[in-house]
Amino acid sequence: MELTNIGTVKEILSRHGFSFSKGLGQNFIINPDICPKIAENGNAKQGYGILEIGTGIGVLTKELALRADKVSAVEIDTRLLPILGETLADFDNVKIYNEDVMKADLLGIIERDFAGLKTAVCANLPYYITSPVIMLLLESRLPIDSITVMVQKEAAQRLCAKVGTRDAGAITVGVNYYGTVKQLFGVSRGSFMPAPNVDSAVIRIDLDKTPRLSGEDEKFFFKVVKAGFSQRRKTMANSLASQLGAEKEQVYTVLRELGLSESARIEALDMEQLAAFSTRLHELMK
Ligand code: SAM
């Protein structure tokens, strides 16, 4: 069944009385070039189990299942299950979990379904939860090699910005803390049904095997990042004094030690400087 053929898709959807939910971010891919490219760039190959988030009618699921050993997908919308039963009928290596990804036991799914395999995540993400899903995948420290996802173009720009520049945000630091991120290719709005009001891009995050900081320092690092970026136009001394209870003098001391200006803003620090800064401030505040 050709799931990028508009006629076929319309026929299946109308036969099942399906109407798109805007709230669930349902924009399905109809450009035939996109899903094979996501699968090929996303580790969908022998030896891998792929965790997919949000199947829609299974257009990407199918490309993943053709290439990887197994695919387990989490889809919140119960109305899609009978459709998937039809569109994925030829595949015996796909499992669908009718759950909310934010609440699902993703580690349990990986351990149960992908024993003996490596794991990667591939998805055309529902845009209303792009950052929460990415941070959930990273913070849960799931045993995954890579996350290859379609996101809104602006989100891709922020995620792939260089830490230490104005384009970066807390999410940029978060992603760069756990791995390396790059944009793979852009996707125009006309590649979807229905067409959204924005263009998209596919990014890939490769996860580091070992954590950068130890447990307590890691927690403190993210407190600094959250506090600093919530008031990013303020100096670090001001934002960390008001949000974290640091003394301004402590912040000045650490900035001086790192050869930075006392009036530095968080957006000026690169990844290494941020890690060194938070670890040293943590020490002084103990
Ligand atoms: N992969 C399909 C494609 O590319 O055509 C669908 C992508 S569509 C942008 C996002 C999908 O995520 C929808 O099928 C939607 O129902 C599902 N979804 C939305 N919120 C979800 C959640 N919290 N947990 C799991 N799936 C969700």
Side-chain angles (χ1 to χ4, degrees), residues 6 9-10 13 20 26-30 191-195:
I6 300 180
V9 176
K10 282 190 173 157
L13 295 180
F20 291 96
Q26 290 179 341
N27 301 95
F28 299 164
I29 298 174
I30 45 154
S191 298
F192 302 89
M193 181 165 115

Side-chain angles (χ1 to χ4, degrees), residues 18 21 23-30 35 38 52-61 74-77 79-80 97 99-103 123-129 133 150 192-193:
F18 181 87
S21 157
L24 290 177
Q26 290 179 341
N27 301 95
F28 299 164
I29 298 174
I30 45 154
C35 293
I38 297 178
E52 189 194 2
I53 297 155
T55 57
I57 62 167
V59 63
L60 175 60
T61 322
V74 182
E75 169 57 59
I76 199 170
D77 190 345
R79 299 173 307 152
L80 288 166
Y97 291 86
E99 288 181 56
D100 177 348
V101 66
M102 299 306 291
K103 297 183 187 147
N124 170 15
L125 285 180
Y127 292 169
Y128 75 101
I129 45 170
V133 170
M150 173 111 66
F192 302 89
M193 181 165 115

Side-chain angles (χ1 to χ4, degrees), residues 16-202:
H16 287 269
F18 181 87
S19 54
F20 291 96
S21 157
K22 234 185 178 178
L24 290 177
Q26 290 179 341
N27 301 95
F28 299 164
I29 298 174
I30 45 154
N31 177 337
D33 298 337
I34 308 297
C35 293
K37 241 165 130 181
I38 297 178
E40 276 154 23
N41 282 287
N43 272 328
K45 56 187 175 192
Q46 272 190 357
Y48 272 85
I50 304 292
L51 178 66
E52 189 194 2
I53 297 155
T55 57
I57 62 167
V59 63
L60 175 60
T61 322
K62 191 179 147 188
E63 297 299 330
L64 298 171
L66 283 171
R67 294 168 174 83
D69 287 9
K70 288 186 173 180
V71 179
S72 290
V74 182
E75 169 57 59
I76 199 170
D77 190 345
T78 311
R79 299 173 307 152
L80 288 166
L81 298 192
I83 298 180
L84 291 165
E86 209 177 297
T87 58
L88 300 175
D90 292 344
F91 295 92
D92 58 6
N93 60 343
V94 177
K95 254 193 195 174
I96 309 287
Y97 291 86
N98 184 204
E99 288 181 56
D100 177 348
V101 66
M102 299 306 291
K103 297 183 187 147
D105 174 16
L106 299 178
L107 181 61
I109 294 176
I110 292 171
E111 286 180 344
R112 221 176 20 253
D113 295 355
F114 301 156
L117 296 174
K118 293 181 176 184
T119 301
V121 173
C122 290
N124 170 15
L125 285 180
Y127 292 169
Y128 75 101
I129 45 170
T130 299
S131 297
V133 170
I134 291 178
M135 284 317 289
L136 172 79
L137 294 170
L138 296 170
E139 283 171 352
S140 325
R141 289 216 176 277
L142 298 171
I144 49 183
D145 287 5
S146 61
I147 300 171
T148 305
V149 282
M150 173 111 66
V151 299
Q152 208 171 305
K153 188 173 147 198
E154 288 69 25
Q157 280 162 354
R158 178 144 286 222
L159 285 158
C160 298
K162 202 168 150 28
V163 176
T165 67
R166 281 196 151 192
D167 295 335
I171 183 82
T172 324
V173 177
V175 168
N176 280 278
Y177 178 85
Y178 290 103
T180 46
V181 55
K182 67 173 179 205
Q183 180 165 325
L184 299 179
F185 55 91
V187 179
S188 69
R189 61 195 73 188
S191 298
F192 302 89
M193 181 165 115
N197 296 325
V198 290
D199 292 319
S200 299
V202 175

